[in-house]
Amino acid sequence: MSRLPALRRAVLREWGPLFTTVRTGITDGGVRALALTLTAVALTAVVQVVQNQAWGYGPVQNLGAVRAEDPVWQALLRTPLSLFVPALDLPVWGALAQILLVFGIAEVCLGRWRMLAVAYLATLAGTLYARIGIALGPDAVLGLPASDAQVVDTGPSAAVVGLAVYVCHQRRAWFTGALVIVAMVVEVLVKDNLAGREHLAAIAAVLVVCGVRERLGRRRAAQDLPAGGDGTRSGAPPMRS
């Protein structure tokens, strides 16, 4: 019985701040708080329907499918839409559920523009890693076989993973963030493919951003402290009456 209160405290410590933020944001903003997320879900669903049509597969590939063999300028132009191009060999409902959950939480916690920035950074990190890995070759530790140059990038999944890690760091949900990272590492160990490697690249890029954000926050906090560092304005001890 004594373990139950301890478990409850651990759950509240891990997810309490995140749950409170999301609940408050949705209560105050209603559907508008998830406007971008719902748009992303709808766009992904539409793209999935279109790319499964004989007339739609080519346009979707030309506008949103990113491969390492593509010229860099072309890949950069396609990358924004690639966030909403789900993999053809996976159930689209899984992608839609991931976008709704993770994008929704991120939109409330981060705001729309920061959410988009982190999502794009994560996706771009995976795209650039694919080019670097292929250039290194399969014999290098981080290398990839040349055949991966023709494989389409991850679509929304790299953005989902990157946003999950970033939000966990921001809201201090350390266990959940670590669980996401471990799950992606296990994915690569079990099935080492381009998508799994790109997920790890997305996580690495987001962790760098989190590290910079943490360091800047500590620097600002140190600058805001009084000169004495203990609430006094000088190095002298506080006066006592």
Side-chain angles (χ1 to χ4, degrees), residues 33-178:
L34 301 174
L36 186 57
T37 297
L38 296 176
T39 301
V41 171
L43 180 57
T44 304
V46 170
V47 170
Q48 172 70 5
V49 172
V50 171
Q51 73 175 348
N52 278 282
Q53 308 301 317
W55 54 267
Y57 177 79
V60 170
Q61 292 294 302
N62 292 333
L63 294 174
V66 178
R67 298 177 178 84
E69 66 179 2
D70 298 332
V72 175
W73 65 268
Q74 192 177 77
L76 293 176
L77 288 176
R78 292 177 176 177
T79 297
L81 184 58
S82 73
L83 270 70
F84 311 106
V85 180
L88 286 169
D89 58 340
L90 296 176
V92 69
W93 301 112
L96 295 179
Q98 289 177 5
I99 294 173
L100 181 62
L101 178 63
V102 178
F103 275 49
I105 293 174
E107 184 172 1
V108 174
C109 293
L110 308 178
R112 293 181 185 128
W113 296 113
R114 192 189 300 183
M115 182 197 79
L116 277 177
V118 174
Y120 185 78
L121 169 69
T123 302
L124 191 60
T127 297
L128 296 179
Y129 160 72
R131 296 172 180 274
I132 295 172
I134 291 168
L136 292 174
D139 295 331
V141 175
L142 299 178
L144 294 168
S147 59
D148 280 349
Q150 299 174 357
V151 177
V152 178
D153 278 353
T154 59
S157 59
V160 167
V161 171
L163 283 170
V165 171
Y166 189 91
V167 171
C168 287
H169 174 268
Q170 188 206 46
R171 298 294 159 174
R172 298 300 191 259
W174 303 120
F175 178 78
T176 306

